[in-house]
Amino acid sequence: MNELPIIVISPLVAGFLAWLLRIRGVREIIGVAGSLIPLALLIKLYPSLGERLEFTINVAGFKLGLMLSHLTWVFSMIAAVVGFTAILGMISTARDNWEWLFALMSLTGVLGVFMAYDLITFFIAWEIMTFASFMMVLKYNRHASLKYFILSIVGAYAMLIAIGLIYAKTGTLTFPEVSVAFTQDAMRRMMGGSGLFTKTETMLIYGLFLLAFGVKAGMFPLHVWAPDAYSETNQSYTAMFSGVLSKAGVYGFILLYILMYGKLVVEFGHFRSAPTFGYIIAFLGGLTIIVGGILAALQEDIRKLFAYSSISQIGYILVGLGVGTALSIEAAIYHAISHALFKGLFFLIVATLIYRTGKTEFKDFGGLAEKMPYTFAMAFIAILSLAGIPPLVGFASKWLIFEAVIHENLPILGGMVFFGSAIGFVYLIRFTYAVWFGQRPSDLEGTKDAPLPLAIAMGILGALNVVFGVAPGIVAQELNKIFDKPVIAGNIWELDLGFGRYNGLLLTIWMVIGVLIAAIVYFLGANVRRVPVTDTYQSGNPITMEYNLTIRRNFFLPLREVMAFWLKISFDRLYHDIWKSIEDFAETARNYVYNGNVQAYAWYLAIILVILAAMGV
Amino acid sequence: MLGVFLKALLIILYATLVGFMFMGIIRKVTARIQRRIGPPIYQPIIDTIKFLSKKENITHGVIYDFGIIFALGATILALMFIPLGGVSILRAYGDLILITFLLEIPMLGIMFAAMSSGNPYAGIGAQRALLTMLAIQVPLGFAIVALAEYYGTFSTYEIVMAQQAHGWSIFHLPLLLAAIAYDIVLQAMFGKEPFDIMTAPGEISLGPMVEFGGKHMGILQIQHAIGLFAETLFFSNIFLGGAVVTTFANSILNTLATLGILLIKQLAVLLLAIFISTIFPRFTIDQAARFYWKWPTIIAALGAILASL
C-alpha cells in the first residue's frame, strides 16, 4: 500500500534534486526518472486495482489520504504517460533548473488531484498544481501568468467555500462519506423531508464547483487565461499543461457527479433526457467548442492556435460529461485520453518547431515538411487524430461522443459537436499549410529534424494515437470497469453500442485495401519527374524565391469578415475592464483614504472607537 | 474471403463506371440547358484514360503523390460502408457519423496534395474549400441528427430497412426538412454552382486542382467519379428509401433490380443538382457561409427538433 505516496511524491523529490544539483546530464536523468517512477508503479499496481488501494494518515483529526480505483487509475495514467513525454521533451527545451522543479512539481500536483481520497488532499494538490504551473508561466510572461493566477485564485476560493459548506453540513470530507451524505439527503428530499442542504445551498455549492473546475478546464466564458498561459511557457511543458492539467478540471466535474449526482438531480430535475445541472455544463461545453474553434482558426501564432484548439477540444469532453449517461461519461473520459494524446503530441511538435527555428508566428514558417520529415510524419498523425479521421484515436472518442449525445435526443448539442469537427479541420489545415508546405523562407534552409529526446517523446504519443485508434476496445473495456458493466460492448477492435458500431481494425484493413488499389493505378502510370516549388502555374508570371507567394497571414480572412459581429464580443476584454475598474477604485481609495498621512489614520481610529463606543461594545 | 474481395472489386468498378456516366450526364445536361450539343456521355472516361496514359508526369514531392492516393483510397473506403442493396461489403458497420466523416476525408487528401505544391491558387482554393465545409457542416449535422433521432439508430442499413416498412424518409415532416437541408448541402459537396467557390473556374484557376496533371489528375477524376456515386447513393439510401428488392427468386435478378432502382434515385438527386447549378451564379465565400448558417440551418434544426420530440 506504500506505492501510492511514492507515485505522488517522486516527481516532486526528483524536481528538487534536479533543481539543487544543477549538473547538466544528471539533472535530466533525475528528472526523467522522477516522471518514470509514477508510470512504472501505476502499471505495476494495475493487476491489484480490484482491491481497495488506499493510503491514509491522520492529521489533526482529519483523515487525509490517497486512493486508486479504476477511474483514478485511468486519469493518473493520462498524467503519467503525457507527463513522462513532456519531461522527455524538456531535456531539449528546458532553459533552466527551475523549469525542472516546477514542471515536476505540477506533475505531483496533478497526480495528487487524481488520486485524492478526500477534499482536503484534493484542494492541497490542486493548489500545488496551480502554483507550479503559474511559476512556469511567470518566468516567460508576467501578464499571462497573473491573468492565469487571478482566475485560478477565484476558482480556488470558490472551491474552498464549497468545501467549507460541505464540511459544515456533513462533518466529513472523505469522498465516500460526502457522497453517502448527499445521497441520503437526496432520498430525504424525495420523501418530502426538508433535507440537510436547502435548494439554494445546493445551487451555491454547484455554482462554486462549476466556477472552480470551469476555470481549470478552460470552460467558456472562463477560458480567457488559457490561450496566454498555454502559449507563454516552455512548449514541452505545455504538452502536460494542456494535455493533463486541464484534465484536472474535467476530473473535478466527474467528482461532482460522484459526490452530488443524486442530490442535484432531485433538486433541479431533468432537461429533456439530461439532468438539468449537467445540461448547463454540456451547453457551456458546446459554446466552448465553437468559440475556441473559431478563435483558433483566426490566430497568427502557432502556440495560440493550439491553445485555442485545446479549449475547443475540452468543450467536447464537457458535452460528454454534461449529458450524464454512463455512455456519454465513458465517451468523455475516452476523449480526455485522446485529447491528452494528440494535444500532447501537438505541443511537442510545436516545441520542436520553436526549438529548431526559434520562430512562433505563421508568417515566418513554410516548406518545412522536406526539412523535418519525422516531425511532419508525427504532425500528420496528430492532425488526422484531432480532425477525427478514422482509424485514429481522435475519431473513436469523437464518434462515441456524437453517438452518446445524439442518442439522448439532444439536437442542439448534436449540431454544436458537428460544427466543432468541421472547425477542427479548418484550423489544422491552416497550420499544415503555413508551416509545412509552400515556399520556404531562406533563413529556414538549415533547419534540422527533431532532437532525439523530443523524437522519442513524439514517437511514444504518436504510436499510442494509432494503437488506441485501431484497437479502441482496449480503452473501452478499461472504461467499462469504472461502471462495472459493459456500457460499450464489443471486443478490443470493435465498439458496439447497440444503435451503432465501429470497428477500428476492419476499417484499417479496408483503408489499406483502398489505398493499395489507388497505389496500383498510380504506379501503372508513367514515371514522375520532380519539379521545384517555384515551377507552378501562375498565369504566365515567373515565380522566384524572392517573393513568397504562400498565403501565411490572415489565411481565414473571409471567416473573420463573416464573424465580425461576434468577434467584437470579448470576455477577455470584459474581465480586463472589470479589473481596470477595481484598480481605479483602489487608486481612488489610496488617494483619499489610505493617503499615508499618520494624522488621517489617527482620525480613522478615533472614529471607529467612537462608533464602537456608541454601539456599546 | 476471395469472394468478398471479388465483390468489392465489382462494386468499385460499377461505382467508377456509373460515376463517370454521372460526370458525362452533368456535362451533357448542362450543355443542353445552355442550348449546346455537348460532349458524348463517355467523354470523361476518354479524358481520364488520356490523363493516365501521359508519357511524363510531374510531382512536387511525396505528399503530393500520397495525398491523391489517400484521397482515392478513402473514397473507396467510404463506398464500402454505404449500403448498396444486398451487395455492400461493410454495411453492418455503415454508421451515419462514420460515413459522414469518411465522405469528408478525401478532401483532406486532396488538400494535402494541393497545398504541398506551393501554388498560391491551391492555397486559396484550400481556404475556400475549408470554409465551405465549415459552412455546410452545421445544416449537415442537424440533418444527420434528425435522422438518427427519428429512427433511433445510427445504422444506415437499418434506416433503409425501416423505410421499406414505413415509407421513404421524405414523407415524414421532420425528415423532409432534413432532406431539403441536406440537398442544399449536397450542392456544395458536389462542388456545383452556386457553391463551386473552392474550384471557381475562371477565377482562381480551379483552386486545389490547379497543379494536377497527368496520372495525378486521372486518379482524381476516378476519385471524383466514385465520390459522386457515393454521395448520391448515401442520399438515396437515407432519404429516398434506398432499395431492397426481394420479389425475384433469383438473387442476381434481385441485385440488378436493386441497382436499377438505386440508379434511378441517384439520377434524380444528380439532375436536381445540375438544374440548380445551371441556373444560379456563384456565391462569394462569405455569402455562402451566411446563407448556409441561415436558411438550411434553420430548416435542418427545425427538423432535428421535431424529430427529437
Side-chain angles (χ1 to χ4, degrees):
Chain A
M1 290 303 127
N2 290 331
E3 285 101 335
L4 298 188
I6 298 175
I7 292 175
V8 174
I9 297 296
S10 59
L12 185 61
V13 173
F16 264 114
L17 287 177
W19 179 61
L20 284 175
L21 286 175
R22 290 167 185 268
I23 307 165
R24 256 194 96 77
V26 179
R27 180 178 78 187
E28 276 79 2
I29 291 171
I30 291 174
V32 172
S35 63
L36 199 54
I37 292 169
L39 185 59
L41 283 178
L42 280 170
I43 293 170
K44 182 181 159 250
L45 283 178
Y46 176 70
S48 48
L49 273 184
E51 310 149 28
R52 287 179 70 79
L53 289 174
E54 283 176 17
F55 169 81
T56 48
I57 46 168
N58 272 306
V59 180
F62 286 110
K63 232 168 86 176
L64 302 185
L66 301 166
M67 157 212 59
L68 207 58
S69 65
H70 282 290
L71 175 68
T72 54
W73 187 82
V74 167
F75 272 94
S76 306
M77 272 307 274
I78 297 177
V81 171
V82 180
F84 171 64
T85 54
I87 298 292
L88 262 184
M90 279 185 57
I91 295 177
S92 305
T93 59
R95 294 204 302 206
D96 210 343
N97 286 323
W98 48 262
E99 287 199 6
W100 287 94
L101 170 61
F102 290 122
L104 285 160
M105 188 194 273
S106 59
L107 187 58
T108 288
V110 77
L111 282 168
V113 167
F114 291 152
M115 289 165 59
Y117 184 61
D118 57 292
L119 285 164
I120 297 264
T121 318
F122 185 81
F123 183 74
I124 293 171
W126 187 277
E127 286 305 295
I128 291 174
M129 176 181 82
T130 307
F131 169 72
S133 48
F134 159 70
M135 290 305 284
M136 284 300 283
V137 185
L138 179 68
K139 301 273 181 173
Y140 284 78
N141 187 319
R142 220 177 110 80
H143 178 254
S145 70
L146 285 178
K147 189 153 68 167
Y148 171 47
F149 201 58
I150 286 168
L151 275 162
S152 290
I153 281 181
V154 170
Y157 278 137
M159 196 200 300
L160 202 57
I161 295 167
I163 291 173
L165 278 172
I166 291 174
Y167 184 68
K169 290 280 184 176
T170 63
T172 177
L173 284 171
T174 57
F175 292 153
E177 287 171 19
V178 172
S179 173
V180 167
F182 271 112
T183 316
Q184 283 172 351
D185 196 27
M187 290 293 204
R188 274 200 295 276
R189 284 288 294 180
M190 269 203 295
M191 299 301 175
S194 58
L196 206 53
F197 293 86
T198 63
K199 189 163 181 167
T200 326
E201 283 163 346
T202 318
M203 198 186 290
L204 184 65
I205 294 175
Y206 168 66
L208 290 169
F209 273 136
L210 193 68
L211 185 65
F213 301 141
V215 166
K216 190 56 80 181
M219 182 176 74
F220 176 83
L222 303 168
H223 63 279
V224 292
W225 62 271
D228 290 345
Y230 285 164
S231 54
E232 294 294 340
T233 181
N234 186 331
Q235 292 299 300
S236 296
Y237 174 71
T238 309
M240 178 160 58
F241 200 173
S242 148
V244 183
L245 264 61
S246 62
K247 301 300 175 307
V250 171
Y251 179 72
F253 282 118
I254 295 177
L255 205 59
L256 197 65
Y257 272 88
I258 296 173
L259 297 183
M260 300 175 65
Y261 180 75
K263 176 73 180 166
L264 287 170
V265 169
V266 170
E267 290 288 357
F268 303 122
H270 281 82
F271 177 82
R272 302 181 67 102
S273 50
T276 309
F277 80 96
Y279 195 85
I280 295 171
I281 299 174
F283 195 79
L284 287 173
L287 288 178
T288 312
I289 297 177
I290 295 171
V291 171
I294 288 175
L295 289 176
L298 298 175
Q299 295 309 309
E300 297 297 321
D301 186 305
I302 185 168
R303 302 167 302 176
K304 283 250 166 81
L305 186 149
F306 286 115
Y308 274 111
S309 142
S310 203
I311 296 169
S312 177
Q313 296 296 319
I314 295 284
Y316 275 100
I317 304 173
L318 296 182
V319 169
L321 283 181
V323 172
T325 58
L327 173 63
S328 79
I329 290 175
E330 279 199 12
I333 300 173
Y334 199 149
H335 199 66
I337 295 169
S338 54
H339 176 254
L341 291 177
F342 60 64
K343 199 42 69 67
L345 183 51
F346 263 128
F347 276 111
L348 289 177
I349 290 162
V350 174
T352 311
L353 286 171
I354 294 175
Y355 177 71
R356 282 303 190 202
T357 65
K359 300 177 191 309
T360 63
E361 295 204 8
F362 284 119
K363 66 179 164 61
D364 301 324
F365 283 106
L368 284 174
E370 289 167 19
K371 292 286 171 188
M372 310 171 88
Y374 179 79
T375 314
F376 175 70
M378 288 301 144
F380 190 63
I381 292 177
I383 288 165
L384 295 189
S385 193
L386 200 162
I389 302 297
L392 287 147
V393 68
F395 178 76
S397 59
K398 242 182 220 181
W399 179 80
L400 277 174
I401 288 180
F402 274 91
E403 307 260 314
V405 170
I406 298 170
H407 187 66
E408 291 305 310
N409 282 349
L410 299 166
I412 300 297
L413 291 179
M416 282 169 158
V417 291
F418 259 101
F419 184 81
S421 80
I423 195 85
F425 266 108
V426 168
Y427 57 70
L428 287 176
I429 293 294
R430 194 252 194 276
F431 158 74
T432 316
Y433 182 59
V435 173
W436 303 105
F437 298 138
Q439 282 165 273
R440 188 168 41 246
S442 50
D443 56 342
L444 295 182
E445 281 305 325
T447 311
K448 288 201 283 283
D449 210 335
L452 188 65
L454 269 169
I456 295 172
M458 286 192 281
I460 294 170
L461 290 181
L464 287 175
N465 266 302
V466 177
V467 169
F468 287 162
V470 176
I474 298 177
V475 181
Q477 285 173 4
E478 209 48 57
L479 296 179
N480 283 338
K481 287 180 192 158
I482 296 171
F483 287 91
D484 236 349
K485 61 182 178 192
V487 181
I488 303 170
N491 49 35
I492 73 164
W493 310 112
E494 186 170 326
L495 306 175
D496 190 350
L497 309 176
F499 47 85
R501 285 165 97 190
Y502 168 64
N503 190 320
L505 182 67
L506 206 60
L507 190 134
T508 314
I509 291 172
W510 281 95
M511 185 173 250
V512 170
I513 292 172
V515 169
L516 276 180
I517 293 172
I520 289 169
V521 178
Y522 177 82
F523 286 111
L524 282 178
N527 281 340
V528 289
R529 176 169 59 89
R530 179 73 196 268
V531 295
V533 72
T534 46
D535 190 357
T536 57
Y537 168 80
Q538 275 308 315
S539 324
N541 295 323
I543 306 175
T544 56
M545 287 309 272
E546 275 107 73
Y547 293 98
N548 200 326
L549 290 168
T550 316
I551 309 156
R552 300 220 166 73
R553 238 179 282 179
N554 265 335
F555 191 69
F556 286 119
L557 192 61
L559 183 67
R560 192 184 285 279
E561 284 166 4
V562 173
M563 291 285 167
F565 172 73
W566 298 102
L567 290 173
K568 275 189 230 146
I569 304 165
S570 161
F571 275 90
D572 197 13
R573 253 200 319 275
L574 174 71
Y575 297 141
H576 265 286
D577 289 348
I578 292 174
W579 183 247
K580 196 88 192 148
S581 51
I582 292 175
E583 258 183 3
D584 286 348
F585 175 72
E587 187 68 25
T588 317
R590 204 162 65 88
N591 282 342
Y592 294 101
V593 184
Y594 302 103
N595 51 10
N597 188 338
V598 181
Q599 219 167 12
Y601 290 146
W603 273 110
Y604 299 153
L605 202 63
I607 291 167
I608 289 169
L609 282 175
V610 168
I611 292 171
L612 287 178
M615 285 165 66
V617 179
Chain B
M1 203 63 182
L2 197 69
V4 174
F5 285 115
L6 212 62
K7 218 158 79 176
L9 210 61
L10 278 177
I11 291 177
I12 294 167
L13 284 177
Y14 174 71
T16 317
L17 214 65
V18 175
F20 275 125
M21 196 187 79
F22 283 176
M23 286 161 75
I25 289 174
I26 291 177
R27 295 186 64 177
K28 191 83 184 170
V29 173
T30 312
R32 295 308 299 154
I33 291 175
Q34 294 166 349
R35 302 198 175 180
R36 292 183 284 117
I37 296 172
I41 212 162
Y42 50 83
Q43 186 64 37
I45 300 181
I46 300 176
D47 289 348
T48 307
I49 290 171
K50 184 196 162 207
F51 278 133
L52 287 173
S53 52
K54 286 273 182 191
K55 281 198 181 122
E56 194 190 46
N57 302 290
I58 61 152
T59 179
H60 286 274
V62 181
I63 305 297
Y64 186 79
D65 301 333
F66 179 73
I68 54 145
I69 293 177
F70 183 72
L72 179 55
T75 317
I76 292 172
L77 177 69
L79 180 68
M80 293 298 145
F81 282 93
I82 305 175
L84 185 65
V87 280
S88 56
I89 307 283
L90 297 172
R91 69 170 181 223
Y93 297 94
D95 187 277
L96 278 177
I97 309 279
L98 180 69
I99 296 175
T100 314
F101 267 77
L102 285 178
L103 286 174
E104 279 164 8
I105 301 178
M107 199 177 82
L108 196 72
I110 300 175
M111 291 299 123
F112 265 78
M115 292 187 305
S116 76
S117 73
N119 191 314
Y121 287 128
I124 203 146
Q127 178 232 62
R128 290 174 171 205
L130 286 164
L131 291 181
T132 314
M133 202 186 98
L134 185 65
I136 64 173
Q137 200 74 14
V138 185
L140 173 69
F142 278 123
I144 298 291
V145 170
L147 270 171
E149 291 186 344
Y150 190 85
Y151 287 109
T153 177
F154 286 85
S155 161
T156 325
Y157 188 63
E158 275 174 34
I159 289 176
V160 170
M161 294 317 278
Q163 290 178 71
Q164 306 307 314
H166 307 293
W168 294 6
S169 297
I170 53 168
F171 296 139
H172 310 291
L173 179 67
L175 296 184
L176 176 65
L177 295 174
I180 293 170
Y182 198 105
D183 193 65
I184 302 173
V185 165
L186 214 52
Q187 200 73 16
M189 282 166 115
F190 290 152
K192 303 300 291 175
E193 291 93 345
F195 306 110
D196 63 339
I197 314 151
M198 70 176 266
T199 51
E203 184 191 340
I204 53 167
S205 311
L206 288 179
M209 302 294 167
V210 59
E211 273 308 301
F212 298 113
K215 64 178 178 183
H216 297 84
M217 194 64 201
I219 292 175
L220 282 181
Q221 290 274 14
I222 300 175
Q223 186 272 330
H224 187 61
I226 301 181
L228 263 183
F229 180 84
E231 278 155 11
T232 48
L233 180 65
F234 188 50
F235 188 88
S236 318
N237 268 322
I238 55 178
F239 288 117
L240 302 180
V244 185
V245 180
T246 47
T247 44
F248 302 105
N250 190 333
S251 70
I252 294 177
L253 271 180
N254 275 333
T255 307
L256 286 179
T258 308
L259 292 183
I261 292 173
L262 276 173
L263 191 60
I264 292 167
K265 289 178 178 174
Q266 285 172 278
L267 270 175
V269 177
L270 188 74
L271 283 173
L272 185 63
I274 300 172
F275 294 155
I276 295 172
S277 79
T278 44
I279 295 168
F280 290 99
R282 188 183 305 142
F283 273 140
T284 64
I285 182 70
D286 54 322
Q287 285 168 336
R290 286 203 186 97
F291 170 77
Y292 271 117
W293 288 340
K294 204 188 253 168
W295 296 114
T297 303
I298 291 171
I299 295 170
L302 203 62
I305 289 167
L306 284 178
S308 72
L309 291 178

